[in-house]
Amino acid sequence: MVYQADASRYHTMEYRRCGRSGLKLPAISLGLWHNFGDNSLYDNARNLVRRAFDLGITHFDLANNYGPPPGSAEAVFGRILHADLRAYRDELIVSSKAGYTMWPGPYGDWGSKKYLVASLDQSLQRLGLDYVDIFYHHRPDPDTPLEETMAALDLLVRQGKALYVGLSNYPAERAREAFALLQQLGTPCVIHQPRYSMFERSIEAELLDTLADHGVGSIAFSPLAGGVLTDRYLHGIPQDSRAAGDSKFLQPEQLTEEKLAKVRRLNALAEQRGQKLSQMALAWVLRNDRVTSVLIGASKTSQIEDAVGMLANRNFSPQEIAAIDAILL
């Protein structure tokens, strides 16, 4: 059966301007990270993407090394694009990144022009696209001159392989240097992708102000702290959970009793708001207009539906903000 997108797909989504650019992003974006590789079920991945688009999620975020194995998430999304979303390409924001290890040898990592240009060429081939909407440098390179890395991003825009460029995981000082270089080149940075959640607030110290000062939008990854800010761990660590497995992204020692006690108190507050904890956690990240979008992962369509449902109740009273801050101290 040929996929037909839901005609009402834009009715429930909120779209927010990305810094001072002309680009708008949905408040909820879908990350195609570790649920879209060769180890995942293609039909489930396809259902996730289609359901997201039907709910107004127009932004799909990837990177060259997402999978596993590296590259497979882009290849899977490329199949879904070809099968279902080709007719809707001009309604989509597709992003990818390069900066982590992708292939062996001296040219498959970090931030050289050699690596970034080759990586995006490979990503476009896997995606079956002529261009991506946003191309990010995924992390700062301590050895390659920043001028070279930013010149590579500028080059890729001028070649028509990317419409916009962004940064990810850059600390504030390094981000300011990169913004200045890109501005001089004529390809301003439009977006930064930092880690941000109730349990990871370091960007509030300086980075968010830096982004606002330079007119750069932001999209927060890991807004649910790797799944901790859900109802998954309210009663300890389930045997079938990420924390109980061999995931390198969430280990049991990170889930201290002190943290789990905070999760339970936050959950009680979410219930008072008539929300799931995950919904309140996403709304909390979006409470600040300097955050353009939150980036969610999903393995079930119900998780996407919950995230979008949060938009019906995403505002907080001063008393609720104070209560959350008291819990997080």
Side-chain angles (χ1 to χ4, degrees):
M1 181 182 298
V2 177
Y3 168 68
Q4 293 289 332
D6 191 321
S8 65
R9 57 189 176 276
Y10 298 121
H11 291 181
T12 58
M13 181 54 64
E14 175 188 350
Y15 298 90
R16 296 154 72 101
R17 187 167 298 279
C18 193
R20 289 196 292 264
S21 75
L23 181 65
K24 291 183 178 180
L25 295 180
I28 307 294
S29 299
L30 184 62
L32 312 186
W33 186 36
H34 278 255
N35 293 324
F36 288 82
D38 287 350
N39 295 340
S40 305
L41 296 176
Y42 172 75
D43 286 344
N44 186 57
R46 188 180 184 188
N47 287 337
L48 292 171
V49 170
R50 286 163 52 151
R51 185 58 180 144
F53 188 56
D54 281 341
L55 291 171
I57 293 177
T58 53
H59 180 209
F60 298 92
D61 181 78
L62 299 115
N64 59 353
N65 63 328
Y66 289 176
S72 58
E74 289 178 328
V76 168
F77 186 63
R79 287 180 61 192
I80 298 168
L81 277 171
H82 180 76
D84 298 317
L85 296 177
R86 180 66 61 177
Y88 304 100
R89 175 64 183 100
D90 293 338
E91 300 179 46
L92 302 177
I93 300 295
V94 179
S95 62
S96 193
K97 314 177 194 73
Y100 284 92
T101 303
M102 188 58 193
W103 61 82
Y107 314 119
D109 201 348
W110 293 107
S112 70
K113 181 178 289 188
K114 169 71 173 175
Y115 169 54
L116 294 179
V117 172
S119 180
L120 183 51
D121 283 344
Q122 292 181 21
S123 292
L124 293 174
Q125 186 172 11
R126 286 187 291 267
L127 291 164
L129 294 175
D130 296 324
Y131 68 92
V132 293
D133 298 275
I134 305 171
F135 185 61
Y136 292 86
H137 187 222
H138 209 162
R139 62 171 172 171
D141 184 341
D143 298 317
T144 300
L146 192 60
E147 291 84 353
E148 178 178 339
T149 302
M150 296 305 108
L153 297 181
D154 172 67
L155 172 67
L156 291 167
V157 169
R158 295 182 186 279
Q159 289 179 335
K161 297 174 183 177
L163 300 185
Y164 301 95
V165 298
L167 306 175
S168 182
N169 296 304
Y170 271 60
E173 182 177 358
R174 196 69 165 159
R176 286 193 293 270
E177 296 172 5
F179 297 158
L181 289 168
L182 287 169
Q183 192 70 42
Q184 292 168 13
L185 291 165
T187 301
C189 180
V190 301
I191 192 165
H192 187 292
Q193 188 172 130
R195 183 188 301 272
Y196 186 38
S197 73
M198 289 178 169
F199 287 139
E200 175 49 75
R201 302 180 64 173
S202 61
I203 70 169
E204 294 176 357
E206 187 176 5
L207 182 61
L208 282 177
D209 286 339
T210 295
L211 301 183
D213 291 344
H214 289 80
V216 178
S218 65
I219 178 168
F221 75 87
S222 199
L224 301 180
V228 177
L229 289 165
T230 68
D231 58 10
R232 191 79 166 115
Y233 299 99
L234 292 176
H235 307 292
I237 303 177
Q239 289 301 308
D240 61 345
S241 67
R242 176 187 292 180
D246 57 359
S247 172
K248 64 181 180 180
F249 302 107
L250 184 62
Q251 287 83 40
E253 57 269 22
Q254 296 174 269
L255 294 175
T256 63
E257 183 51 42
E258 180 184 7
K259 177 170 280 190
L260 292 177
K262 291 181 178 181
V263 169
R264 288 188 281 269
R265 292 174 64 194
L266 290 167
N267 185 66
L269 183 55
E271 289 178 344
Q272 293 174 22
R273 286 171 49 86
Q275 286 183 311
K276 293 184 176 181
L277 174 56
S278 60
Q279 292 176 313
M280 186 180 77
L282 295 177
W284 182 89
V285 171
L286 285 171
R287 80 197 186 285
N288 193 318
D289 290 340
R290 292 175 296 180
V291 176
T292 312
S293 182
V294 287
L295 189 58
I296 65 164
S299 57
K300 303 174 184 177
T301 55
S302 60
Q303 294 168 332
I304 299 173
E305 291 162 357
D306 283 346
V308 175
M310 167 274 300
L311 294 172
N313 183 23
R314 75 167 190 83
N315 296 316
F316 294 87
S317 69
Q319 294 77 18
E320 287 173 325
I321 291 294
I324 291 171
D325 285 341
I327 292 169
L328 295 175
L329 287 177

